[in-house]
Amino acid sequence: MNSLWAFLASIALIRTTLYSYLPERLRLYISSRFEEWTSRFTTEETMVFKDYQSSKMNQLFQAANLYLGESLPTISIPRVTVEKTESVRNLTFSMEKNTEMIDVFENVPMKWRYFSDYSQGMHKHEIRWYELSFHKQYKALVTKSYLPRILERADRIKEKNRVVQLHTATHDFWTPKPVIIQHPMTFETLALNGNLKKEIVEDLDRFMNSKEYYQRIGKVWKRGYLLYGPPGTGKSSLIAAMANHLNFDIYNLNLSAVSSDLVLQNLLLSMANRSILVIEDIDCSIKLQNRESGIDQPVKYHPQNKSFSQVTLSGLLNFFDGILSCCGEGKILVATTNYKDRIDPALLRAGRMDMHVYLTYCSFSAFKQLALKYLDLSDHSLFCHIEMLLPEAKVSPAEVAGELVKTRDPEVSLKGLIKHLEEKMAADGNSEVSPKHLSSPSQPSKCQVKESSISLPLESNGTNMDNVKSPGPKPDVSAYKEKGKIESKLTENGPGSEVDNNLDKKEFISDQPSCHNILQVIEDMEKELLSYREAIITLEKKSCVTLNKLAKIKATI
């Protein structure tokens, strides 16, 4: 036993003497030769992943840090470092210095160890590295399967943990410190007309799952969207929903602040992969008007650098789908405008703007989505009046949302919206729909029955419209015809004739000796027309059912 301790002490003394008096190169040579000699007697192989390789960040080191950090909360290890910063969504875990853990891949144990030290010399800095040890026979498995899996898994973790940030361009460069976007808008809360929301989400998901497809057909993995329509129709909200859905950073570019095509190219090259580039009001930013329209626009002047904008249409086209657009992957371009016809057609073709999204005024479908979101209301007796007012009022979803958010009382909120719509119509000079008739809660709701999308030739089916009974009597207007006070637009066929539902009351009144009686007649006529409308819709539905039965009988013959 004493001889063993004496042997170990001798080795330690020799090692200290060698490190103290031998040059560094000679020490490294002896150490490498010694490791080579001892490796012949072991079955374990070790790979080293340093944090920096040739002054550049080692991607394998970063990937190992993310990959191992995801597994640390589920295994037993003495010490773990836990962090949370603004640039990530979740907690991050990492190994402490001089600790190790075991990861199992395809039933093969992989031993990881983490080390850190400080460099020698005047400027000391920390050096970090991982060591991966495994049996020699599994070297091919590690290099061909295990390490690629770590890289792929690390990319997914990075995408899941990062927060959406906003980058803006100032002085021909992206701002070094982006702003974290905490916009709450998502596709679940966004109100769009019809199936437009579904189409956009499906297109985005299809694009994100088509990386291999784009590579196979030889196209750059990028996508372009043009959002156009009146102001306040939700273009900015849609962009925020797209960024939250994809978890992509937004790069907001004002073309009038870019000094030249060369700067525009540099901005594109410095964008991160999997990000959204937004160019708002592209028709107003610089001189990019439609060359076929003949409308000229002035060149923008930059007060910062005392120069005029030099971005050209050719430079912008190359920016969209030139050779520089091949640098990077997964990039999405979104351009907005209020006037699509002012944009040069060359900017609108497929490959530059792949999907054109028209955002119009608020429809009844979008209103119901807003009512559900703001008031938790799926149906109400006042919905009928709002449905009739919306097509004529021409208000944006933002205006409707602004009225609904004023109070959480559904009744008060909907009445306030109706008042706003009526005032909007009055300001626009649209008085075709009677506000008194629409906003009166006492009036029966006749528009709950939806119009059929199938137009049937009723007379060809042998149906006589004179036989359709209405719930109310026909108003007696003969007295007014004799006195010349009413210019009737109804024919003697009654409900079978074409009737204008929006008859102007001025056409019926030459003077006002008995205003109350005249208004009563008008209201009776309105009720009758609505009853005719309901009867026609019912008859259309019955005819549709009959035609379907006849088609089934015909198919069996």
Side-chain angles (χ1 to χ4, degrees), residues 322-378:
I323 190 65
L324 289 175
S325 64
C326 304
C327 303
E329 59 181 14
K331 295 180 179 179
I332 293 179
L333 169 66
V334 179
T336 69
T337 179
N338 296 334
Y339 308 98
K340 180 182 176 181
D341 56 340
R342 295 183 182 179
I343 302 177
D344 195 285
L347 288 170
L348 303 180
R349 71 169 180 82
R352 291 167 181 158
M353 299 296 173
D354 302 287
M355 185 175 183
H356 298 188
V357 180
Y358 177 58
L359 301 174
T360 183
Y361 294 108
C362 186
S363 66
F364 185 63
S365 172
F367 159 74
K368 289 196 296 183
Q369 299 176 51
L370 292 171
L372 183 63
K373 179 173 67 172
Y374 287 95
L375 304 176
D376 195 19
L377 200 63
S378 59

Side-chain angles (χ1 to χ4, degrees), residues 55-259:
S55 71
K56 294 183 178 180
M57 178 61 76
N58 187 357
Q59 292 184 358
L60 271 173
F61 177 86
Q62 289 181 312
N65 205 31
L66 292 172
Y67 175 78
L68 298 175
E70 187 182 41
S71 304
L72 284 175
T74 61
I75 64 174
S76 177
I77 189 171
R79 293 175 63 86
V80 176
T81 301
V82 185
E83 296 178 335
K84 174 66 175 72
T85 60
E86 292 183 353
S87 58
V88 295
R89 294 180 182 270
N90 305 316
L91 298 176
T92 56
F93 299 85
S94 58
M95 299 171 61
E96 274 282 283
K97 181 172 66 173
N98 300 328
T99 57
E100 67 178 44
M101 64 173 287
I102 302 297
D103 183 39
V104 179
F105 177 71
E106 296 186 4
N107 297 324
V108 178
M110 305 290 179
K111 184 168 67 174
W112 288 89
R113 289 176 292 183
Y114 175 69
F115 301 95
S116 67
D117 199 356
Y118 287 91
S119 63
Q120 303 295 327
M122 294 289 295
H123 303 284
K124 294 185 178 182
H125 62 276
E126 186 180 14
I127 302 175
R128 302 172 299 165
W129 71 93
Y130 282 103
E131 290 185 1
L132 171 62
S133 300
F134 51 89
H135 198 281
K136 284 183 176 181
Q137 64 177 348
Y138 300 115
K139 185 174 183 178
L141 176 68
V142 171
T143 56
K144 295 181 180 180
S145 300
Y146 186 52
L147 294 182
R149 178 177 179 269
I150 291 176
L151 291 170
E152 179 183 358
R153 183 60 187 166
D155 287 340
R156 294 180 182 178
I157 297 172
K158 189 186 301 182
E159 292 295 325
K160 182 178 66 174
N161 286 345
R162 76 173 183 177
V163 297
V164 178
Q165 296 180 324
L166 174 64
H167 306 256
T168 56
T170 56
H171 304 291
D172 296 341
F173 295 97
W174 297 115
T175 51
K177 294 183 179 181
V179 180
I180 296 177
I181 300 178
Q182 296 179 341
H183 202 295
M185 183 60 68
T186 62
F187 279 111
E188 286 74 19
T189 58
L190 181 65
L192 291 178
N193 297 332
N195 295 325
L196 184 58
K197 182 194 303 186
K198 180 181 178 182
E199 294 174 2
I200 296 174
V201 173
E202 290 179 350
D203 189 80
L204 289 171
D205 293 340
R206 185 167 51 250
F207 168 73
M208 293 305 302
N209 298 325
S210 302
K211 181 179 179 180
E212 292 76 13
Y213 173 75
Y214 275 77
Q215 292 176 345
R216 181 164 57 86
I217 63 176
K219 291 189 64 176
V220 182
W221 188 36
K222 65 182 183 66
R223 191 77 172 159
Y225 296 87
L226 176 69
L227 312 183
Y228 67 100
T233 51
K235 292 185 281 291
S236 299
S237 297
L238 177 56
I239 294 173
M242 294 171 66
N244 288 327
H245 179 73
L246 301 173
N247 201 25
F248 279 14
D249 283 0
I250 296 178
Y251 288 79
N252 189 34
L253 181 61
N254 183 5
L255 290 179
S256 61
V258 181
S259 59

Side-chain angles (χ1 to χ4, degrees), residues 478-537:
S478 59
Y480 296 99
K481 288 182 179 179
E482 293 175 359
K483 295 181 180 181
K485 293 183 179 180
I486 298 180
E487 183 180 348
S488 176
K489 291 188 177 182
L490 300 175
T491 63
E492 295 181 356
N493 294 329
S497 62
E498 296 183 357
V499 181
D500 185 2
N501 288 329
N502 295 324
L503 294 175
D504 196 337
K505 296 180 181 179
K506 293 181 180 180
E507 296 178 0
F508 292 89
I509 303 174
S510 58
D511 56 1
Q512 299 180 354
S514 57
C515 182
H516 177 74
N517 294 334
I518 295 176
L519 290 176
Q520 183 63 40
V521 171
I522 293 174
E523 290 181 0
D524 292 340
M525 294 174 64
E526 288 176 340
K527 291 179 182 179
E528 183 180 13
L529 292 176
L530 288 174
S531 67
Y532 290 156
R533 177 174 177 267
E534 185 177 354
I536 292 172
I537 292 173

Side-chain angles (χ1 to χ4, degrees), residues 270-507:
S270 58
M271 281 180 58
N273 293 335
R274 297 175 180 263
S275 57
I276 300 177
L277 176 65
V278 177
I279 304 178
E280 294 188 284
D281 297 325
I282 191 172
D283 59 306
C284 303
S285 298
I286 56 175
K287 192 177 181 181
L288 293 175
Q289 76 283 353
N290 186 347
R291 292 171 293 183
E292 300 176 358
S293 66
I295 302 175
D296 196 14
Q297 293 179 346
V299 179
K300 300 290 184 180
Y301 178 74
H302 299 281
Q304 296 178 349
N305 51 15
K306 298 181 180 180
S307 63
F308 289 91
S309 176
Q310 299 298 317
V311 177
T312 62
L313 178 61
S314 175
L316 193 61
L317 296 178
N318 292 329
F319 177 77
F320 284 169
D321 63 354
I323 190 65
L324 289 175
S325 64
C326 304
C327 303
E329 59 181 14
K331 295 180 179 179
I332 293 179
L333 169 66
V334 179
T336 69
T337 179
N338 296 334
Y339 308 98
K340 180 182 176 181
D341 56 340
R342 295 183 182 179
I343 302 177
D344 195 285
L347 288 170
L348 303 180
R349 71 169 180 82
R352 291 167 181 158
M353 299 296 173
D354 302 287
M355 185 175 183
H356 298 188
V357 180
Y358 177 58
L359 301 174
T360 183
Y361 294 108
C362 186
S363 66
F364 185 63
S365 172
F367 159 74
K368 289 196 296 183
Q369 299 176 51
L370 292 171
L372 183 63
K373 179 173 67 172
Y374 287 95
L375 304 176
D376 195 19
L377 200 63
S378 59
D379 194 14
H380 195 275
S381 59
L382 294 177
F383 276 19
C384 174
H385 308 300
I386 296 174
E387 182 179 9
M388 298 179 68
L389 285 171
L390 280 174
E392 304 296 335
K394 294 183 179 180
V395 293
S396 65
E399 289 183 77
V400 175
E403 292 298 322
L404 297 180
V405 79
K406 289 181 178 180
T407 176
R408 296 186 179 180
D409 185 290
E411 188 81 15
V412 177
S413 181
L414 294 179
K415 288 183 178 179
L417 176 61
I418 291 175
K419 181 180 179 182
H420 175 76
L421 296 177
E422 293 174 352
E423 291 175 352
K424 180 79 173 181
M425 294 171 58
D428 295 339
N430 187 352
S431 58
E432 294 181 358
V433 182
S434 172
K436 178 181 178 182
H437 174 69
L438 293 175
S439 60
S440 176
S442 62
Q443 294 292 341
S445 178
K446 297 292 184 181
C447 59
Q448 297 296 332
V449 181
K450 303 297 178 183
E451 293 186 6
S452 172
S453 59
I454 303 176
S455 178
L456 299 177
L458 299 178
E459 293 184 359
S460 62
N461 295 334
T463 304
N464 186 3
M465 293 303 298
D466 292 334
N467 297 327
V468 179
K469 296 181 179 180
S470 63
K474 296 179 66 175
D476 185 10
V477 296
S478 59
Y480 296 99
K481 288 182 179 179
E482 293 175 359
K483 295 181 180 181
K485 293 183 179 180
I486 298 180
E487 183 180 348
S488 176
K489 291 188 177 182
L490 300 175
T491 63
E492 295 181 356
N493 294 329
S497 62
E498 296 183 357
V499 181
D500 185 2
N501 288 329
N502 295 324
L503 294 175
D504 196 337
K505 296 180 181 179
K506 293 181 180 180
E507 296 178 0

